Amino acid sequence: MTFVRVCGLGELEEDTPKRVELDGTPVSVVRTEGEVFAINDICSHANVSLSEGEVDDCHIECWLHGSRFDLRSGKPDALPATRPVPVYPVKIEGDDVLVSLTQES
Ligand code: FES
């Protein structure tokens, strides 16, 4: 599994998603509830950036139609989205946030 640095921990504001690109894949990096998560930045319902949505209770909400995706599993908990969004393993090394594009689920 190859981890790549995507940003510094200090660049992540609590509950404010940060969009990064990893090998051409858009990824939303989210610091919340004492952890850092990485989820594909494209909603599974339409081609919309999830990093423009809000974070609450370990979920990220799509701003267009309101589906909420669990940051741990990528699964939606509300329609209209029915398919999960890929989530990726995260490692913290010092102040570095590293992500691997290998999917966890
Ligand atoms: S585009 Fe995300 S829920 Fe419709």
Side-chain angles (χ1 to χ4, degrees):
M1 199 180 292
T2 306
F3 282 86
V4 177
R5 184 189 187 278
V6 293
C7 64
L9 195 56
E11 295 172 50
L12 296 176
E13 282 181 47
E14 184 84 6
D15 295 340
T16 303
K18 180 178 178 64
R19 181 183 165 114
V20 299
E21 292 240 345
L22 198 51
D23 291 339
T25 300
V27 176
S28 181
V29 183
V30 182
R31 183 178 192 170
T32 187
E33 301 189 1
E35 285 189 65
V36 178
F37 299 92
I39 186 166
N40 191 286
D41 194 43
I42 304 301
C43 181
S44 63
H45 181 236
N47 191 13
V48 165
S49 178
L50 289 177
S51 59
E52 292 172 32
E54 299 204 342
V55 173
D56 183 41
D57 192 25
C58 229
H59 287 70
I60 189 165
E61 182 176 308
C62 178
W63 59 270
L64 191 53
H65 302 119
S67 285
R68 297 171 78 242
F69 297 89
D70 192 316
L71 289 165
R72 296 156 293 205
S73 66
K75 291 184 183 151
D77 71 350
L79 293 172
T82 55
R83 288 175 293 120
V85 172
V87 293
Y88 309 108
V90 175
K91 251 190 346 192
I92 308 295
E93 286 183 357
D95 185 51
D96 292 332
V97 178
L98 299 96
V99 172
S100 170
L101 284 186
T102 307
Q103 288 181 33
E104 276 190 332
S105 58

